[in-house]
C-alpha cells in the first residue's frame, strides 16, 4: 500500500495512520517507530510528518482546499487544526469566504488561518446583525438559515479586518526594524520631503482635539501657495500611527 502510493504523500500518510491505529506493525515489530525505521528507513518524526500532512489534507478538503504537496500541507497544519474543531455552518462560512473573497482557488496560508480563527471566535451568545432587519440580536436566537447568513457575514467582515491589521502590523514592524537607519518612520518623513515635495509643499503634522475632546494627530501634505491639501492620512492617537497612515495614503 505504501509502495504503491510512494508519489502521493496523502496516500502514504493515510497508510501509516492505518498501520499505527490498527497496530498492524505488531506483526513483526515491537513499536510503530521500529516499524518505520526498519522497514522504510524513516524516523518516527518523519512518519508523523507524513501522517500530519494526510490529516491536514483531509480536513482542508472540507473547505475545498487540496494541498499539492507535503510542504503546502505542513504550512496549513495549524489552520487545519482550527477548522477541524469548527461547527459545520462555520466550516461552510469559511469555505464561502475563501472561494469568493480571496478571488483565488489557492488562498494564502494567512487568509485560511485568519478565516478559520475568526469563525472559531464567533460566540453563539454574541450579538450580530440580523440578516433581514440589521438589528443587533443574539446569534443563538436566529433560525438556521438566518444564523448561517450571519456567520458568513461575520467571517467575511472579521477576516478582512484581521488581515488588514496584520498587514498594518507588518508594515509597522518593517519600519521599526529599520528605524536606526534609512527607512524608519522618522527617516521616511525626511526621505519623502527630499524626494517628493516641491518647494511650495510642506509635510505637516497637526495635533488637535476631536469632537469628543480626545487628542488626535494627523499627518498631511499642503501646498503653501494654494493652501490645498495634497494628501493626508487618517487621524490617529499617536504620532507614529499618523505618519504611517500618511505612508499608506501616498503609496496607494
Amino acid at each position: 500500500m505504501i509502495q504503491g502510493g510512494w508519489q502521493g504523500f496523502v496516500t502514504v500518510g493515510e497508510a501509516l495512520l492505518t498501520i499505527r491505529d490498527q497496530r498492524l506493525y505488531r506483526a513483526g515489530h515491537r513499536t510503530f517507530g521500529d516499524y518505520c525505521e526498519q522497514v522504510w528507513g524513516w524516523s518516527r518524526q518523519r512518519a508523523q510528518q507524513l501522517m500530519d500532512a494526510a490529516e491536514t489534507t483531509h480536513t482542508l478538503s472540507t473547505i475545498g482546499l487540496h494541498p499539492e504537496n507535503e510542504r503546502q500541507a505542513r504550512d496549513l497544519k495549524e489552520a487545519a487544526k482550527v477548522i477541524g474543531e469548527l461547527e459545520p455552518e462555520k466550516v461552510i462560512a469559511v469555505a464561502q469566504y475563501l472561494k469568493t473573497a480571496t478571488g483565488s482557488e489557492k488562498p494564502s496560508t494567512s487568509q485560511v488561518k485568519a478565516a478559520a480563527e475568526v469563525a472559531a471566535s464567533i460566540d453563539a451568545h454574541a450579538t450580530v446583525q440580523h440578516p433581514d432587519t440589521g438589528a443587533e440580536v443574539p446569534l443563538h436566537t436566529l433560525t438556521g438559515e438566518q444564523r448561517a447568513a450571519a456567520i458568513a457575514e461575520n467571517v467575511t467582515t472579521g477576516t478582512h479586518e484581521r488581515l488588514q491589521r496584520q498587514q498594518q502590523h507588518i508594515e509597522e514592524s518593517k519600519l521599526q526594524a529599520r528605524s536606526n537607519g534609512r527607512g524608519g518612520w522618522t527617516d521616511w518623513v525626511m526621505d519623502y520631503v527630499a524626494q517628493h515635495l516641491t518647494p511650495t509643499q510642506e509635510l505637516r503634522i497637526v495635533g488637535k482635539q476631536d469632537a469628543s475632546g480626545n487628542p488626535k494627530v494627523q499627518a498631511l501634505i499642503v501646498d503653501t501657495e494654494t493652501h490645498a491639501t495634497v494628501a493626508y492620512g487618517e487621524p490617529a492617537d499617536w504620532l507614529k500611527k499618523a505618519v504611517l497612515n500618511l505612508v499608506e495614503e501616498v503609496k496607494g
Side-chain angles (χ1 to χ4, degrees):
M1 189 174 184
I2 291 181
Q3 286 178 322
W6 184 261
Q7 297 300 321
F9 70 96
V10 176
T11 303
V12 174
E14 290 177 341
L16 289 171
L17 284 166
T18 299
I19 292 169
R20 183 198 65 184
D21 295 345
Q22 297 183 14
R23 301 181 184 275
L24 301 180
Y25 60 85
R26 286 189 170 181
H29 302 84
R30 186 176 62 86
T31 66
F32 179 64
D34 289 342
Y35 164 80
C36 293
E37 292 178 3
Q38 295 170 19
V39 176
W40 303 109
W42 297 332
S43 66
R44 179 67 173 79
Q45 180 181 13
R46 175 59 184 146
Q48 187 63 54
Q49 288 176 338
L50 289 165
M51 291 187 291
D52 287 346
E55 290 181 321
T56 294
T57 300
H58 175 72
T59 300
L60 292 176
S61 69
T62 63
I63 58 170
L65 297 185
H66 305 280
E68 297 178 353
N69 51 56
E70 186 188 345
R71 180 175 181 179
Q72 289 182 5
R74 190 180 303 125
D75 290 342
L76 290 163
K77 177 182 175 181
E78 295 305 315
K81 285 183 179 179
V82 178
I83 293 167
E85 298 295 325
L86 294 179
E87 301 164 358
E89 58 192 353
K90 292 183 179 180
V91 173
I92 293 172
V94 171
Q96 290 176 339
Y97 167 79
L98 294 175
K99 183 178 181 180
T100 60
T102 66
S104 170
E105 293 183 355
K106 298 179 181 179
S108 67
T109 299
S110 60
Q111 288 173 323
V112 178
K113 189 171 185 292
E117 291 178 346
V118 167
S121 69
I122 299 175
D123 187 341
H125 296 283
T127 58
V128 296
Q129 284 192 339
H130 194 291
D132 298 327
T133 66
E136 289 289 327
V137 296
L139 178 61
H140 71 273
T141 64
L142 299 178
T143 64
E145 186 175 345
Q146 293 170 341
R147 178 184 169 93
I151 289 176
E153 176 62 26
N154 272 264
V155 168
T156 297
T157 303
T159 303
H160 175 74
E161 292 176 351
R162 177 171 295 207
L163 290 171
Q164 288 287 89
R165 291 195 300 269
Q166 289 176 354
Q167 186 59 40
Q168 183 67 47
H169 178 70
I170 290 171
E171 292 298 324
E172 290 182 9
S173 297
K174 287 180 179 178
L175 290 176
Q176 184 64 39
R178 298 195 299 265
S179 61
N180 292 329
R182 301 191 71 78
W185 69 274
T186 53
D187 295 318
W188 179 89
V189 171
M190 299 308 296
D191 285 346
Y192 194 85
V193 169
Q195 299 175 18
H196 299 284
L197 295 191
T198 69
T200 63
Q201 292 178 340
E202 294 180 348
L203 191 157
R204 298 178 182 176
I205 297 177
V206 179
K208 59 183 179 181
Q209 294 183 358
D210 63 13
S212 301
N214 300 312
K216 296 289 182 180
V217 63
Q218 184 177 33
L220 58 163
I221 299 168
V222 177
D223 189 298
T224 57
E225 288 188 345
T226 64
H227 303 291
T229 299
V230 178
Y232 62 90
E234 291 296 317
D237 296 325
W238 65 93
L239 182 59
K240 176 181 175 181
K241 177 63 174 172
V243 174
L244 290 174
N245 287 348
L246 179 60
V247 172
E248 182 177 349
E249 177 65 25
V250 297
K251 282 186 176 180

